[in-house]
Amino acid sequence: MAATPEDFFNAAMLDQPRDTKASKVRSNVTNINVINFPGLNTLGISLARIDYGPLGVNTPHIHPRATELLTVLEGTLYLGFVTSNPNRLFSKIVKKGDVFVFPKAMIHFQMNLAHDKPAAALSSLSSQNPGVISIANAVFGSKPPISDDVLATAFQVEKDLIHWLQSQFWENNNY
Amino acid sequence: MAATPEDFFNAAMLDQPRDTKASKVRSNVTNINVINFPGLNTLGISLARIDYGPLGVNTPHIHPRATELLTVLEGTLYLGFVTSNPNRLFSKIVKKGDVFVFPKAMIHFQMNLAHDKPAAALSSLSSQNPGVISIANAVFGSKPPISDDVLATAFQVEKDLIHWLQSQFWENNNY
Amino acid sequence: MAATPEDFFNAAMLDQPRDTKASKVRSNVTNINVINFPGLNTLGISLARIDYGPLGVNTPHIHPRATELLTVLEGTLYLGFVTSNPNRLFSKIVKKGDVFVFPKAMIHFQMNLAHDKPAAALSSLSSQNPGVISIANAVFGSKPPISDDVLATAFQVEKDLIHWLQSQFWENNNY
Amino acid sequence: MAATPEDFFNAAMLDQPRDTKASKVRSNVTNINVINFPGLNTLGISLARIDYGPLGVNTPHIHPRATELLTVLEGTLYLGFVTSNPNRLFSKIVKKGDVFVFPKAMIHFQMNLAHDKPAAALSSLSSQNPGVISIANAVFGSKPPISDDVLATAFQVEKDLIHWLQSQFWENNNY
Amino acid sequence: MAATPEDFFNAAMLDQPRDTKASKVRSNVTNINVINFPGLNTLGISLARIDYGPLGVNTPHIHPRATELLTVLEGTLYLGFVTSNPNRLFSKIVKKGDVFVFPKAMIHFQMNLAHDKPAAALSSLSSQNPGVISIANAVFGSKPPISDDVLATAFQVEKDLIHWLQSQFWENNNY
Amino acid sequence: MAATPEDFFNAAMLDQPRDTKASKVRSNVTNINVINFPGLNTLGISLARIDYGPLGVNTPHIHPRATELLTVLEGTLYLGFVTSNPNRLFSKIVKKGDVFVFPKAMIHFQMNLAHDKPAAALSSLSSQNPGVISIANAVFGSKPPISDDVLATAFQVEKDLIHWLQSQFWENNNY
């Protein structure tokens, strides 16, 4: 079956704010990648729109296969990434129209600094299938869970706290 | 000298419309790539904001090293690309919030369909140094010029027409 | 089914001149790539023999996926390529036994300078599937055609001239 | 200066157990990569020996640029990795002589299951400079620290707990 | 069918010595690569355990798609590789715990220097499918054989010697 | 210093036969690669002209970094390559104008079948720096030499024969 112009098109509605209220962390990520836009296959690029409610956070996460280049669409963000060991933080407060880059596979995050209005960003990713590993979810919410011996040692805390964290993230992940 | 957060940041003002009136083709491309944002080096991604005046055209061109993923920020665009031989055109009319992808090294273009208002787009490119070859400029405006024998044969026209086209594009390229 | 020596062999007759008289531009390109020699798949290389009649032209074109390394087999050629913006022309007159390289995805061309005898070249390409975009054909002969608004603006000419160019190339492309 | 056989050699003493008692998590990783073995440059491979004391843990971490292929030299390990979203855990108990692979940039860990004796593993990594991001250290011990607003939201806990975790990891990182 | 932890695991018994007596060259290579461990596919890494009897030799060979990073598990080895022209030998005597690297596609070998005890090594390879070309076997034992005219000229010896070498290696290769 | 057209040009005289009489194996390879044509750097392609005297042989060798695509310019050649284990020979007799491909890093060779006239070929290689490892030279002529214990075991012959072969190739390599 021959390709058509529709194969290279996606009615992504990237101009439209998404709801951030259903999220415990007050943010919402809309991915436009090879999973919902198959025409990107082999082309090495994808997009994401990120909406932040007041004080909303796109929590620390990693894209294992992509660099991310973020542009602020609306509002003011505190954002940063942590380098491979030694763990230096590179952070910055950025405004509408600014650009910031998160190098491939580094832990990074963004937060809307406003108490009273939303923010939004558009990110370009250097892979059609960048993947995402949300740190807190992956560590405390994986199914099945990681052994509490490993996590108590890693975070240097009592197992009770690990169990409590796991119970929170476990219920989060309703997939 | 150690890296700082500023190395990963660019005050690109990508939210701000650029002037399109100084251009014969009524468009203006703002590139954010490794040339003006060195922190992108080796990271495999860059951006461009494209402003279109009424009926403005981003004329047929090629990025030799990148796929381009375009999002419409404002207005309605007619856009498309031509495949490697055989030369099929894949074109589409796209609106604010829509996404369209131009595969690596294909000839592509966009045009603002409105007679009375501007349009704008944001493009992600899968290289920190995508390059651009504007077809008409490269063929008729190169310095020094391509021989009129080659061009008259290629376009199957009289040399007088070639000379006239060259004189137009030659004065265009004041670099 | 096991591979045999035939899978790595192609009776390409690359020593034999091809007819250049059937072509409006007085040239003929014989490609030996993965399309007619499947054994090249994944191997990252292909060949082309180019025959030029008197004053024959291999018109300005692009290989989106390959560098081309040309050797002159017979005659004297004027050849060149145009860089990504700014559009500089790198051209040269080359003779039998000379070698010239056209970097990946740059617009390039060759022309036989002799009025009375043929020329020929052998080109190596750094992809098993280099692709080719002939500029004049892609811009004026695509099916369906690119809108005359876009082309008139791009080439800074009247639509009548665009229509006339399109009619010429349209009939060319009988596929 | 010409290369010598010494450039391709490293007296790594990979047969010798390392001390695990100085570590809060009772493990010790010995890296043999381009940083201490420059001859590996451009060669795309490196090694690590991992020693585990009784119940020692190689805590959850990521190699941003490498797949890791682990062989158990001594003892019995519980190990695993978490996939990109959705966050599935792939875990396994492995014994001396067994092999397990952690795909590129996935969060992974190992733990010595014995209460009374050490364990050891040898890992091959598919990069001369794989990098390592220890999750707990990167998130709670980065310098400067990540804002407590971001971390409290990400882990869904009070800021007091975040501060306590940060104080622990901050003193850990004496670099 | 969903992946399971078993897909990333191989009970390779890499701690156990293999028999070296059945081999004319007194060595035995155990490969753990994508052929017997499919989970390595696309991951860019594999392993081999090499056992050497007294004076055993892993004869000169090439991995066309991988660099090899060798660690001595037991004993003392004489090993080396020959560079691309000019043909310099980089050799070294290495002991238990030492590391040596053979760059991609260079001819290399190892030999157990002890007359009375075995040796062993563990090698990491930078491809899931490194391939191996044993020089003597490939040149004298290929099926069908390379013409004796080519081999007598290449090795500058009489055809009788070539035939004798071919008869030896031909019977070796019972596949 | 700005690039000029000369940087992309090489007066390689590839149309001219080279002397094959000074060579013990009656052949002569003229390489046009990044070493003598720096403009090829990063472009991923190079060339070689091969001249064969009567019964001349381009002896078994490997290009560690390139596939080779050969075209016969003159005469009739017997040529082939041996696959990675198992060692199958893919050979063929090819004539003027024919094309044959030797996949990356496989051992390959060519021989002029004529007793009384020369032959010639032009090869394209998929790297600007393909490298070459001539098997007999690398194994018997390296400097310093590979230990005779290794070679006697590898080729299953007496050390006297190894010494004799080494003496031949050692004097060959006057670099």
Side-chain angles (χ1 to χ4, degrees):
Chain A
M1 210 172 69
T4 74
E6 300 305 312
D7 295 327
F8 302 91
F9 170 75
N10 192 283
M13 295 185 293
L14 287 185
D15 58 317
Q16 314 223 343
R18 266 64 175 185
D19 173 59
T20 59
K21 290 183 185 136
S23 151
K24 280 188 177 175
V25 296
R26 301 174 298 277
S27 71
N28 191 340
V29 180
T30 305
N31 293 302
I32 305 297
N33 58 34
V34 74
I35 294 165
N36 54 12
F37 186 3
L40 294 180
N41 203 14
T42 79
L43 295 181
I45 201 153
S46 61
L47 285 172
R49 178 191 167 101
I50 312 159
D51 286 277
Y52 314 83
L55 300 178
V57 176
N58 188 10
T59 67
H61 63 285
I62 280 177
H63 302 294
R65 294 178 289 276
T67 287
E68 176 175 346
L69 187 52
L70 177 146
T71 313
V72 185
L73 295 180
E74 198 58 57
T76 299
L77 299 175
Y78 160 69
L79 49 67
F81 67 91
V82 180
T83 56
S84 184
N85 298 356
N87 298 129
R88 285 184 62 204
L89 173 70
F90 288 78
S91 72
K92 179 91 186 156
I93 293 174
V94 296
K95 300 186 312 293
K96 191 172 174 176
D98 287 348
V99 170
F100 196 88
V101 66
F102 305 108
K104 200 175 191 172
M106 297 290 120
I107 297 181
H108 62 287
F109 62 86
Q110 305 102 37
M111 181 180 182
N112 177 6
L113 288 178
H115 292 67
D116 51 357
K117 45 188 177 184
L122 188 66
S123 282
S124 310
L125 296 126
S126 66
S127 166
Q128 69 268 13
N129 186 14
V132 59
I133 303 172
S134 299
I135 298 298
N137 263 30
V139 172
F140 296 111
S142 76
K143 298 198 170 172
I146 298 176
S147 138
D148 54 6
D149 284 315
V150 167
L151 295 179
T153 303
F155 289 90
Q156 302 276 299
V157 297
E158 298 299 315
K159 289 193 186 178
D160 281 356
L161 176 55
I162 296 297
H163 297 161
W164 180 70
L165 284 162
Q166 287 183 321
S167 68
Q168 284 204 301
F169 286 96
W170 180 273
E171 65 189 31
N172 252 8
N173 285 342
N174 296 319
Y175 48 82
Chain B
M1 213 171 66
T4 75
E6 300 304 312
D7 294 328
F8 301 93
F9 170 74
N10 194 281
M13 299 186 291
L14 287 186
D15 58 317
Q16 313 222 344
R18 266 63 175 184
D19 173 60
T20 58
K21 288 181 187 139
S23 151
K24 280 190 177 173
V25 297
R26 301 173 298 278
S27 70
N28 192 341
V29 179
T30 304
N31 293 302
I32 304 298
N33 59 34
V34 75
I35 294 165
N36 54 11
F37 185 3
L40 294 181
N41 204 13
T42 77
L43 295 182
I45 201 154
S46 61
L47 285 173
R49 179 191 165 100
I50 313 158
D51 286 276
Y52 313 83
L55 299 178
V57 176
N58 188 11
T59 67
H61 63 285
I62 280 177
H63 302 295
R65 291 177 291 277
T67 288
E68 177 176 346
L69 186 54
L70 179 146
T71 314
V72 184
L73 295 179
E74 198 58 57
T76 299
L77 299 174
Y78 160 70
L79 48 69
F81 67 91
V82 180
T83 56
S84 183
N85 296 357
N87 298 128
R88 284 183 61 204
L89 173 69
F90 289 77
S91 72
K92 178 93 186 154
I93 292 174
V94 296
K95 300 185 311 292
K96 191 173 175 175
D98 286 348
V99 171
F100 196 88
V101 64
F102 305 108
K104 200 175 191 172
M106 299 288 121
I107 296 180
H108 63 286
F109 61 87
Q110 306 101 38
M111 181 180 183
N112 177 6
L113 289 179
H115 291 69
D116 51 357
K117 47 187 177 185
L122 187 67
S123 282
S124 310
L125 296 125
S126 65
S127 165
Q128 69 267 15
N129 186 14
V132 60
I133 303 171
S134 299
I135 299 299
N137 264 30
V139 172
F140 296 111
S142 76
K143 298 196 171 174
I146 298 175
S147 137
D148 57 4
D149 283 316
V150 167
L151 295 178
T153 303
F155 289 89
Q156 302 277 300
V157 297
E158 297 300 315
K159 288 191 185 180
D160 281 355
L161 177 54
I162 296 297
H163 297 160
W164 180 71
L165 284 162
Q166 287 184 319
S167 68
Q168 284 205 301
F169 285 95
W170 180 272
E171 66 190 30
N172 252 10
N173 285 344
N174 295 319
Y175 48 81
Chain C
M1 210 171 70
T4 74
E6 300 305 312
D7 294 327
F8 301 91
F9 170 75
N10 193 283
M13 298 186 291
L14 287 185
D15 57 317
Q16 313 222 346
R18 265 64 175 184
D19 173 59
T20 58
K21 288 182 187 139
S23 151
K24 280 188 178 177
V25 297
R26 301 173 298 277
S27 70
N28 190 340
V29 180
T30 304
N31 293 302
I32 306 297
N33 59 34
V34 73
I35 294 166
N36 55 10
F37 185 3
L40 294 180
N41 204 13
T42 79
L43 295 181
I45 201 155
S46 60
L47 286 172
R49 178 190 167 102
I50 313 158
D51 287 278
Y52 314 84
L55 300 179
V57 176
N58 188 12
T59 67
H61 63 285
I62 280 177
H63 303 294
R65 291 177 291 275
T67 287
E68 176 175 346
L69 186 53
L70 177 146
T71 313
V72 185
L73 295 180
E74 198 58 58
T76 298
L77 299 174
Y78 160 70
L79 49 68
F81 68 91
V82 181
T83 57
S84 185
N85 297 358
N87 299 128
R88 285 184 60 203
L89 173 69
F90 289 77
S91 72
K92 178 92 186 155
I93 293 174
V94 297
K95 300 186 312 290
K96 190 173 176 176
D98 287 348
V99 171
F100 196 88
V101 65
F102 305 109
K104 200 175 190 171
M106 298 289 121
I107 296 182
H108 62 286
F109 61 86
Q110 306 102 36
M111 180 181 183
N112 177 8
L113 288 178
H115 292 68
D116 50 356
K117 47 188 176 184
L122 187 66
S123 282
S124 310
L125 297 126
S126 66
S127 165
Q128 69 267 11
N129 185 15
V132 60
I133 303 172
S134 299
I135 299 298
N137 264 31
V139 172
F140 297 110
S142 76
K143 300 199 168 170
I146 297 175
S147 136
D148 55 6
D149 283 315
V150 167
L151 295 178
T153 303
F155 289 89
Q156 303 277 299
V157 297
E158 298 298 317
K159 288 193 186 180
D160 282 355
L161 177 53
I162 296 296
H163 297 161
W164 179 71
L165 284 162
Q166 287 183 319
S167 68
Q168 283 205 302
F169 285 96
W170 180 273
E171 65 190 29
N172 253 8
N173 284 344
N174 296 318
Y175 48 82
Chain D
M1 211 171 67
T4 74
E6 301 304 312
D7 294 328
F8 301 92
F9 170 74
N10 194 281
M13 297 185 293
L14 287 186
D15 57 317
Q16 313 221 344
R18 265 63 174 184
D19 174 59
T20 58
K21 289 181 186 140
S23 151
K24 279 188 179 176
V25 298
R26 301 174 298 276
S27 70
N28 191 340
V29 179
T30 304
N31 292 303
I32 305 297
N33 59 35
V34 74
I35 294 166
N36 54 12
F37 186 3
L40 295 181
N41 204 12
T42 77
L43 296 182
I45 200 156
S46 60
L47 285 173
R49 177 190 167 101
I50 312 159
D51 287 276
Y52 313 84
L55 299 179
V57 175
N58 188 12
T59 66
H61 63 284
I62 279 177
H63 303 294
R65 293 177 290 276
T67 287
E68 176 176 346
L69 186 53
L70 178 146
T71 314
V72 185
L73 295 180
E74 198 59 57
T76 298
L77 299 174
Y78 160 69
L79 48 68
F81 68 91
V82 180
T83 57
S84 184
N85 295 357
N87 298 129
R88 283 184 62 204
L89 173 69
F90 289 77
S91 72
K92 178 93 185 155
I93 293 174
V94 297
K95 298 185 314 292
K96 192 172 173 175
D98 286 349
V99 171
F100 196 87
V101 66
F102 305 109
K104 201 175 191 171
M106 298 289 121
I107 297 182
H108 62 287
F109 62 86
Q110 305 102 36
M111 181 180 183
N112 177 7
L113 288 179
H115 291 68
D116 51 357
K117 46 188 178 186
L122 187 67
S123 282
S124 311
L125 296 126
S126 66
S127 166
Q128 69 267 11
N129 186 14
V132 59
I133 302 172
S134 299
I135 298 299
N137 263 31
V139 173
F140 296 110
S142 76
K143 300 197 169 171
I146 298 175
S147 139
D148 55 4
D149 283 316
V150 167
L151 295 179
T153 303
F155 290 89
Q156 302 276 299
V157 297
E158 298 299 316
K159 288 192 186 179
D160 281 355
L161 176 54
I162 296 296
H163 297 160
W164 180 71
L165 284 163
Q166 287 183 320
S167 67
Q168 284 205 303
F169 285 96
W170 180 273
E171 65 189 30
N172 251 11
N173 285 343
N174 295 317
Y175 49 82
Chain E
M1 211 171 67
T4 74
E6 300 304 312
D7 294 327
F8 301 91
F9 170 74
N10 194 282
M13 296 186 293
L14 287 185
D15 57 317
Q16 314 223 344
R18 266 62 174 185
D19 174 59
T20 58
K21 289 182 185 137
S23 150
K24 279 189 178 176
V25 297
R26 301 174 298 277
S27 71
N28 191 340
V29 180
T30 305
N31 293 303
I32 305 297
N33 59 33
V34 75
I35 295 165
N36 53 12
F37 186 3
L40 295 180
N41 204 13
T42 78
L43 295 181
I45 200 154
S46 60
L47 285 172
R49 178 189 166 103
I50 313 160
D51 286 278
Y52 314 84
L55 299 178
V57 176
N58 188 11
T59 67
H61 63 285
I62 279 176
H63 302 295
R65 293 178 290 277
T67 287
E68 176 176 346
L69 187 53
L70 178 146
T71 313
V72 185
L73 294 180
E74 198 58 57
T76 299
L77 299 175
Y78 160 70
L79 48 68
F81 67 91
V82 180
T83 57
S84 183
N85 296 357
N87 298 128
R88 285 185 61 205
L89 174 69
F90 289 77
S91 71
K92 179 91 185 154
I93 293 174
V94 296
K95 299 186 312 293
K96 191 171 173 176
D98 286 348
V99 171
F100 196 88
V101 66
F102 305 109
K104 200 174 190 173
M106 298 289 120
I107 297 181
H108 62 287
F109 61 86
Q110 305 102 36
M111 181 180 182
N112 177 8
L113 288 178
H115 291 70
D116 51 357
K117 47 188 177 185
L122 188 67
S123 282
S124 310
L125 297 126
S126 67
S127 165
Q128 69 267 13
N129 186 14
V132 59
I133 303 172
S134 299
I135 298 298
N137 263 31
V139 173
F140 297 111
S142 76
K143 299 197 170 171
I146 298 175
S147 136
D148 55 6
D149 282 315
V150 167
L151 295 179
T153 302
F155 289 89
Q156 302 277 300
V157 297
E158 298 300 315
K159 289 193 184 178
D160 281 355
L161 177 53
I162 296 297
H163 297 159
W164 180 71
L165 284 163
Q166 288 184 319
S167 67
Q168 284 204 302
F169 285 95
W170 180 272
E171 65 190 31
N172 254 9
N173 285 343
N174 295 318
Y175 48 82
Chain F
M1 212 170 68
T4 74
E6 300 304 313
D7 295 326
F8 301 92
F9 170 74
N10 193 282
M13 297 186 292
L14 287 186
D15 58 316
Q16 312 222 344
R18 267 64 175 183
D19 173 58
T20 58
K21 288 182 186 138
S23 151
K24 280 189 178 175
V25 298
R26 301 174 296 278
S27 70
N28 191 341
V29 180
T30 304
N31 292 302
I32 305 297
N33 58 34
V34 75
I35 294 166
N36 54 11
F37 186 3
L40 295 181
N41 204 13
T42 77
L43 295 182
I45 201 155
S46 61
L47 284 173
R49 178 190 165 102
I50 312 159
D51 287 277
Y52 314 83
L55 300 178
V57 176
N58 188 11
T59 67
H61 64 284
I62 280 177
H63 302 295
R65 292 178 291 276
T67 288
E68 177 176 346
L69 186 53
L70 179 146
T71 314
V72 185
L73 295 179
E74 198 58 58
T76 299
L77 298 175
Y78 160 69
L79 49 68
F81 68 91
V82 180
T83 56
S84 183
N85 295 357
N87 298 129
R88 284 184 61 203
L89 173 69
F90 289 77
S91 72
K92 178 92 184 156
I93 293 174
V94 296
K95 298 186 313 291
K96 192 172 174 175
D98 286 349
V99 171
F100 196 88
V101 66
F102 305 109
K104 199 176 192 171
M106 299 289 120
I107 296 181
H108 61 287
F109 62 86
Q110 306 101 36
M111 180 179 183
N112 177 6
L113 288 178
H115 291 68
D116 50 357
K117 46 187 177 186
L122 188 67
S123 282
S124 310
L125 296 125
S126 66
S127 166
Q128 69 267 13
N129 186 15
V132 60
I133 302 171
S134 299
I135 298 299
N137 264 30
V139 172
F140 296 111
S142 76
K143 298 196 170 173
I146 297 176
S147 140
D148 55 6
D149 283 315
V150 166
L151 296 179
T153 303
F155 289 89
Q156 303 276 298
V157 297
E158 298 299 317
K159 289 192 184 179
D160 281 355
L161 177 54
I162 296 297
H163 297 159
W164 179 71
L165 283 163
Q166 288 183 319
S167 68
Q168 285 205 305
F169 284 96
W170 180 272
E171 65 190 29
N172 251 10
N173 284 343
N174 295 318
Y175 50 82

